[in-house]
mmCIF file with all atom_site columns, all heavy atoms in Angstrom:
data_model
loop_
_atom_site.group_PDB
_atom_site.id
_atom_site.type_symbol
_atom_site.label_atom_id
_atom_site.label_alt_id
_atom_site.label_comp_id
_atom_site.label_asym_id
_atom_site.label_entity_id
_atom_site.label_seq_id
_atom_site.pdbx_PDB_ins_code
_atom_site.Cartn_x
_atom_site.Cartn_y
_atom_site.Cartn_z
_atom_site.occupancy
_atom_site.B_iso_or_equiv
_atom_site.pdbx_formal_charge
_atom_site.auth_seq_id
_atom_site.auth_comp_id
_atom_site.auth_asym_id
_atom_site.auth_atom_id
_atom_site.pdbx_PDB_model_num
ATOM 1  N N   . ALA A 1 175 ? 125.794 134.319 135.565 1.00 0.00 ? 175 ALA A N   1
ATOM 2  C CA  . ALA A 1 175 ? 125.796 135.771 135.660 1.00 0.00 ? 175 ALA A CA  1
ATOM 3  C C   . ALA A 1 175 ? 125.021 136.229 136.885 1.00 0.00 ? 175 ALA A C   1
ATOM 4  O O   . ALA A 1 175 ? 125.437 137.153 137.599 1.00 0.00 ? 175 ALA A O   1
ATOM 5  C CB  . ALA A 1 175 ? 125.107 136.329 134.382 1.00 0.00 ? 175 ALA A CB  1
ATOM 6  N N   . HIS A 1 176 ? 123.931 135.540 137.187 1.00 0.00 ? 176 HIS A N   1
ATOM 7  C CA  . HIS A 1 176 ? 123.067 135.990 138.297 1.00 0.00 ? 176 HIS A CA  1
ATOM 8  C C   . HIS A 1 176 ? 123.737 135.755 139.643 1.00 0.00 ? 176 HIS A C   1
ATOM 9  O O   . HIS A 1 176 ? 123.504 136.530 140.552 1.00 0.00 ? 176 HIS A O   1
ATOM 10 C CB  . HIS A 1 176 ? 121.738 135.173 138.266 1.00 0.00 ? 176 HIS A CB  1
ATOM 11 C CG  . HIS A 1 176 ? 120.825 135.686 137.193 1.00 0.00 ? 176 HIS A CG  1
ATOM 12 N ND1 . HIS A 1 176 ? 119.482 135.263 137.053 1.00 0.00 ? 176 HIS A ND1 1
ATOM 13 C CD2 . HIS A 1 176 ? 120.996 136.606 136.212 1.00 0.00 ? 176 HIS A CD2 1
ATOM 14 C CE1 . HIS A 1 176 ? 118.947 135.855 136.064 1.00 0.00 ? 176 HIS A CE1 1
ATOM 15 N NE2 . HIS A 1 176 ? 119.753 136.673 135.525 1.00 0.00 ? 176 HIS A NE2 1
ATOM 16 N N   . PHE A 1 177 ? 124.494 134.682 139.824 1.00 0.00 ? 177 PHE A N   1
ATOM 17 C CA  . PHE A 1 177 ? 124.887 134.249 141.171 1.00 0.00 ? 177 PHE A CA  1
ATOM 18 C C   . PHE A 1 177 ? 126.357 134.394 141.502 1.00 0.00 ? 177 PHE A C   1
ATOM 19 O O   . PHE A 1 177 ? 126.756 134.285 142.655 1.00 0.00 ? 177 PHE A O   1
ATOM 20 C CB  . PHE A 1 177 ? 124.427 132.844 141.392 1.00 0.00 ? 177 PHE A CB  1
ATOM 21 C CG  . PHE A 1 177 ? 122.952 132.702 141.528 1.00 0.00 ? 177 PHE A CG  1
ATOM 22 C CD1 . PHE A 1 177 ? 122.160 132.285 140.420 1.00 0.00 ? 177 PHE A CD1 1
ATOM 23 C CD2 . PHE A 1 177 ? 122.289 133.035 142.675 1.00 0.00 ? 177 PHE A CD2 1
ATOM 24 C CE1 . PHE A 1 177 ? 120.789 132.154 140.516 1.00 0.00 ? 177 PHE A CE1 1
ATOM 25 C CE2 . PHE A 1 177 ? 120.917 132.885 142.756 1.00 0.00 ? 177 PHE A CE2 1
ATOM 26 C CZ  . PHE A 1 177 ? 120.147 132.488 141.686 1.00 0.00 ? 177 PHE A CZ  1
ATOM 27 N N   . ALA A 1 178 ? 127.220 134.546 140.474 1.00 0.00 ? 178 ALA A N   1
ATOM 28 C CA  . ALA A 1 178 ? 128.676 134.612 140.781 1.00 0.00 ? 178 ALA A CA  1
ATOM 29 C C   . ALA A 1 178 ? 128.974 135.824 141.620 1.00 0.00 ? 178 ALA A C   1
ATOM 30 O O   . ALA A 1 178 ? 128.381 136.897 141.415 1.00 0.00 ? 178 ALA A O   1
ATOM 31 C CB  . ALA A 1 178 ? 129.421 134.614 139.481 1.00 0.00 ? 178 ALA A CB  1
ATOM 32 N N   . LYS A 1 179 ? 129.921 135.672 142.515 1.00 0.00 ? 179 LYS A N   1
ATOM 33 C CA  . LYS A 1 179 ? 130.361 136.845 143.246 1.00 0.00 ? 179 LYS A CA  1
ATOM 34 C C   . LYS A 1 179 ? 130.934 137.899 142.323 1.00 0.00 ? 179 LYS A C   1
ATOM 35 O O   . LYS A 1 179 ? 130.747 139.100 142.509 1.00 0.00 ? 179 LYS A O   1
ATOM 36 C CB  . LYS A 1 179 ? 131.436 136.387 144.255 1.00 0.00 ? 179 LYS A CB  1
ATOM 37 C CG  . LYS A 1 179 ? 130.937 135.548 145.417 1.00 0.00 ? 179 LYS A CG  1
ATOM 38 C CD  . LYS A 1 179 ? 132.044 135.051 146.245 1.00 0.00 ? 179 LYS A CD  1
ATOM 39 C CE  . LYS A 1 179 ? 131.569 133.878 147.085 1.00 0.00 ? 179 LYS A CE  1
ATOM 40 N NZ  . LYS A 1 179 ? 132.632 133.025 147.499 1.00 0.00 ? 179 LYS A NZ  1
ATOM 41 N N   . THR A 1 180 ? 131.670 137.442 141.311 1.00 0.00 ? 180 THR A N   1
ATOM 42 C CA  . THR A 1 180 ? 132.195 138.329 140.277 1.00 0.00 ? 180 THR A CA  1
ATOM 43 C C   . THR A 1 180 ? 131.937 137.722 138.886 1.00 0.00 ? 180 THR A C   1
ATOM 44 O O   . THR A 1 180 ? 132.133 136.542 138.686 1.00 0.00 ? 180 THR A O   1
ATOM 45 C CB  . THR A 1 180 ? 133.720 138.498 140.445 1.00 0.00 ? 180 THR A CB  1
ATOM 46 O OG1 . THR A 1 180 ? 133.986 138.996 141.752 1.00 0.00 ? 180 THR A OG1 1
ATOM 47 C CG2 . THR A 1 180 ? 134.319 139.440 139.396 1.00 0.00 ? 180 THR A CG2 1
ATOM 48 N N   . THR A 1 181 ? 131.422 138.572 137.998 1.00 0.00 ? 181 THR A N   1
ATOM 49 C CA  . THR A 1 181 ? 131.084 138.012 136.655 1.00 0.00 ? 181 THR A CA  1
ATOM 50 C C   . THR A 1 181 ? 131.914 138.790 135.592 1.00 0.00 ? 181 THR A C   1
ATOM 51 O O   . THR A 1 181 ? 131.849 140.031 135.508 1.00 0.00 ? 181 THR A O   1
ATOM 52 C CB  . THR A 1 181 ? 129.615 138.175 136.339 1.00 0.00 ? 181 THR A CB  1
ATOM 53 O OG1 . THR A 1 181 ? 128.906 137.514 137.378 1.00 0.00 ? 181 THR A OG1 1
ATOM 54 C CG2 . THR A 1 181 ? 129.241 137.542 135.011 1.00 0.00 ? 181 THR A CG2 1
#
Side-chain angles (χ1 to χ4, degrees):
Chain A
H176 283 187
F177 291 97
K179 290 172 198 159
T180 302
T181 305

